[in-house]
Amino acid sequence: MPLYLAVGGGGDVVMAAALAGEEAVGQIPWERYVVDPEPGPVPPPSLREVLDLGNGLYLATPRSFAERGGRLFKTQGMCVAEALQKSVYLVDPYRRPSELAKALVRFDKIIGVDVGGDVLGVGCEESLRSPLADAYGLAVLAKASELGVEAELWVMSPGADGELSLEYLIRRVAEAAREGGLLGTVGLDSKQVEVLEKLVKRCVTEASAVAVRSFKGEYGPAHIRGGARLVEIGACALIGFKFSPKALLKLNKAARLIYESDAPIDKAADLLIENGIPTELHLEQLLAKGLDIYAALEELKKKKSC
């Protein structure tokens, strides 16, 4: 059985579910600040009504929810489970990538899904705010491939999260291709967009919604994240690129550092900032201390160095 695993945070699982159809879907349970203001991914002790499958793998049902910081909420994977009436896997990123890879050998194929293309970055690009979840997910996929699991990384709707420009991402695709890491392309069909539209109406995601808007004929620049990011609505949001995880490690410095140190996500964040790569975890920690978003971003900009 293949697993479509959203390697980024938040709403990437919506796209993964649309691509998966009847196959298994999973996510790293890390929610946007508007859903869960506690910094970092949702830890296993905060998961409710889930089945513990062991070694950092959990199964959420339509009844599942999370309880954290005095708040009750559903991760977007749990939202997908409720909307589609199917179970969704959750992985524990507080485990080492090698540990989590061992838990995933039950699947004969793992397709990592990243909406937007942050995973194609180096990790410290000026416009990149959230390199950590994608880099950690890439490290897990690379470790799983070493255990004999067929693994691919799919970048869907390049540029749709407003972090890395489409022009830059296409150049990075070319660099991956020169490394022999480009495996092919994938496109969304009408049935998948129908599922995607159903999910974006119920779950919290803006990047995955760009594909729906594009399929309906919208075209041109548009703002997301309350006007903080600019994206291009258009046909490119309906396609994706397939990559070899091991090849992408050569391009993604953040993922390579995590892979080589085999660090769980919280320790990985410390490692990355020591190497000039501040992450979404550091941003959330500053927001939790009371800084506004602009002050927090300026603080992290001082620590960014490629």
Side-chain angles (χ1 to χ4, degrees):
M1 176 176 63
L3 171 69
Y4 287 74
L5 177 65
V7 297
D12 283 11
V13 68
V14 168
M15 179 67 77
L19 292 167
E22 299 301 317
E23 305 293 357
V25 180
Q27 75 157 154
I28 296 173
W30 194 344
E31 295 304 309
R32 285 174 51 193
Y33 194 78
V34 294
V35 176
D36 175 24
E38 294 293 315
V42 181
S46 294
L47 302 175
R48 301 287 182 266
E49 299 289 339
V50 299
L51 178 63
D52 185 350
L53 300 175
N55 299 315
L57 187 63
Y58 299 82
L59 192 63
T61 72
R63 299 188 306 275
S64 300
F65 63 98
E67 183 175 3
R68 194 181 190 200
R71 295 165 61 99
L72 303 181
F73 60 92
K74 284 183 176 288
T75 73
Q76 300 320 298
M78 295 170 180
C79 176
V80 167
E82 184 177 56
L84 300 183
Q85 289 296 297
K86 67 181 290 183
S87 296
V88 171
Y89 292 90
L90 308 176
V91 299
D92 176 12
Y94 295 99
R95 301 262 184 160
R96 293 181 179 272
S98 61
E99 291 181 288
L100 199 49
K102 291 177 182 177
L104 296 176
V105 296
R106 67 176 60 211
F107 302 100
D108 52 29
K109 183 175 183 178
I110 305 171
I111 299 165
V113 178
D114 168 35
V115 179
D118 295 353
V119 74
L120 291 175
V122 175
C124 54
E125 288 86 350
E126 184 177 353
S127 62
L128 185 57
R129 296 184 187 178
S130 54
L132 179 55
D134 299 287
Y136 176 85
L138 177 55
V140 171
L141 291 176
K143 295 285 186 182
S145 68
E146 293 173 354
L147 297 177
V149 179
E150 183 182 357
E152 296 179 0
L153 194 292
W154 293 10
V155 171
M156 301 300 300
S157 304
D161 60 356
E163 295 209 27
L164 298 175
S165 72
L166 181 58
E167 180 182 6
Y168 178 73
L169 290 167
I170 295 302
R171 176 155 59 87
R172 295 293 281 178
V173 171
E175 292 175 23
R178 288 196 291 271
E179 292 289 343
L182 181 61
L183 303 178
T185 58
V186 61
L188 291 166
D189 63 28
S190 59
K191 290 185 178 180
Q192 290 169 327
V193 174
E194 184 179 341
V195 174
L196 194 59
E197 184 174 16
K198 177 180 179 179
L199 293 175
V200 299
K201 288 179 179 178
R202 296 188 58 169
C203 303
V204 180
T205 176
E206 290 181 280
S208 293
V210 171
V212 176
R213 296 170 66 181
S214 299
F215 196 83
K216 290 180 173 294
E218 286 192 48
Y219 175 78
H223 285 93
I224 62 172
R225 304 288 194 263
R229 298 185 198 171
L230 186 68
V231 299
E232 289 290 332
I233 310 293
C236 286
L238 300 174
I239 64 172
F241 299 90
K242 304 178 182 181
F243 299 96
S244 158
K246 294 300 288 289
L248 282 191
L249 282 179
K250 299 177 182 179
L251 303 181
N252 188 320
K253 178 182 178 181
R256 193 165 61 250
L257 287 168
I258 297 171
Y259 169 84
E260 292 173 349
S261 63
D262 198 24
I265 207 161
D266 50 347
K267 302 301 182 184
D270 295 337
L271 174 66
L272 294 189
I273 202 166
E274 290 170 3
N275 284 271
I277 306 176
T279 72
E280 59 268 41
L281 179 56
H282 302 108
L283 177 61
E284 290 181 357
Q285 289 170 341
L286 291 175
L287 293 175
K289 291 179 180 179
L291 273 70
D292 65 48
I293 183 66
Y294 300 105
L297 289 172
E298 281 299 313
E299 185 68 23
L300 294 180
K301 186 177 179 180
K302 300 173 185 176
K303 301 179 183 296
K304 187 170 286 193
S305 172
C306 280

